[in-house]
């Protein structure tokens, strides 16, 4: 671990500072890395962050090249993060909070453009874990507006969710399907859909959108968020994210 201090920043702190100078906050950098903001602060105070240097370097390169979309940057970081290893050389498993199986608890996962290209396979674990806990699921999908077949905010498109859709500068729209208020979708159903798509979550979601008349067959998803929760009265399960 490198000694830390304002006059002697390690590489992780130096690269993070470049992102801060570009207008991002430590919290945003943490989200890109898939970690807590407190860890990013420790790049500066405790010299931590060696495992994230390559990811941070790629983030700086992408931002310098003009990329500003946070979800896209998160995908780039994920593809370039070095996992911590055990003493035997195996990749260490990262334990998530034990919340999905707790009544009222939840977990979520997101995929930007980079992860979308590989099917957002990391989201499959979120869905299968929710299914094991007999939980519920909600989706947020971002696509070019021309790929949506139903008008934004219509009850047919997303029953029970009354949200204004704000056009984005890049011509995309985000639509949300399911929520705790509406009961969401059975996680078991989505677990089967993902399994039928061989773990390709993007394909499973697109197939559902087309089957239900919400999207055109040539639709291209550019951002996807999966949120899961367990209604009260269900059994508790432990979440382990590898």
């Amino acid at each position: 671990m490198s000694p830390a201090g304002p006059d002697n920043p390690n590489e992780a702190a130096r690269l993070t500072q470049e992102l801060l100078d570009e207008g991002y906050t430590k919290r945003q950098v943490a989200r890109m890395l898939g970690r807590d903001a407190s860890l990013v602060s420790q790049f500066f105070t405790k010299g931590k962050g060696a495992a994230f240097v390559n990811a941070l370097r790629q983030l700086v390169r992408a931002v310098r090249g003009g990329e500003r979309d946070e979800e896209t940057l998160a995908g780039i970081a994920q593809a370039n993060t070095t996992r911590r290893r055990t003493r035997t050389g195996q990749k260490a498993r990262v334990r998530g909070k034990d919340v999905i199986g707790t009544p009222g608890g939840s977990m979520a996962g997101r995929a930007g453009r980079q992860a979308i290209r590989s099917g957002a396979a990391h989201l499959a674990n979120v869905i299968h874990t929710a299914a094991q806990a007999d939980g519920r699921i909600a989706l947020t999908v971002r696509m070019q507006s021309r790929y949506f077949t139903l008008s934004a905010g219509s009850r047919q498109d997303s029953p029970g969710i009354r949200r204004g859709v704000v056009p984005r500068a890049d011509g995309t729209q985000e639509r949300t399907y399911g929520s705790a208020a509406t009961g969401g979708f059975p996680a078991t159903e989505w677990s089967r859909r993902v399994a039928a798509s061989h773990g390709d979550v993007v394909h499973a979601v697109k197939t559902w959108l087309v089957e239900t008349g919400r999207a055109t067959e040539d639709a291209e998803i550019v951002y996807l968020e999966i949120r899961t929760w367990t209604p009260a009265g269900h059994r508790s399960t432990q979440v382990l994210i590898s």
Side-chain angles (χ1 to χ4, degrees), residues 61-168:
R61 181 175 300 174
V63 170
R64 285 177 176 173
E67 182 60 67
R68 303 298 300 182
D69 183 76
E70 191 175 326
E71 288 75 32
T72 299
L73 293 170
I76 292 173
Q78 179 185 348
N80 290 279
T81 298
T82 301
R83 286 278 295 279
R84 182 173 59 83
R85 292 184 177 273
T86 65
R87 292 180 179 178
T88 60
Q90 299 295 316
K91 287 184 178 180
R93 292 189 294 183
V94 181
R95 188 173 299 278
K97 294 181 179 180
D98 181 11
V99 292
I100 182 61
T102 304
S106 64
M107 69 184 296
R110 299 177 297 174
R113 295 176 191 272
Q114 186 78 12
I116 290 292
R117 295 191 187 102
S118 60
H122 66 289
L123 296 181
N125 185 59
V126 176
I127 294 171
H128 294 320
T129 300
Q132 292 172 4
D134 198 17
R136 311 292 291 184
I137 279 180
L139 319 168
T140 294
V141 179
R142 184 189 303 164
M143 301 189 297
Q144 288 288 325
S145 57
R146 67 179 181 275
Y147 292 135
F148 291 104
T149 58
L150 301 174
S151 61
S154 74
R155 294 186 180 279
Q156 186 179 358
D157 183 55
S158 191
I161 299 179
R162 316 306 320 142
R163 291 184 180 178
V165 178
V166 179
R168 297 168 60 89

Side-chain angles (χ1 to χ4, degrees), residues 21 43-44 53 60 64 95 103 112-113 115 151 177 180-181 209 215 224:
D21 292 342
F43 295 174
F44 296 87
V53 167
V60 170
R64 285 177 176 173
R95 188 173 299 278
R113 295 176 191 272
S151 61
Y177 303 103
L209 290 169
L224 179 63

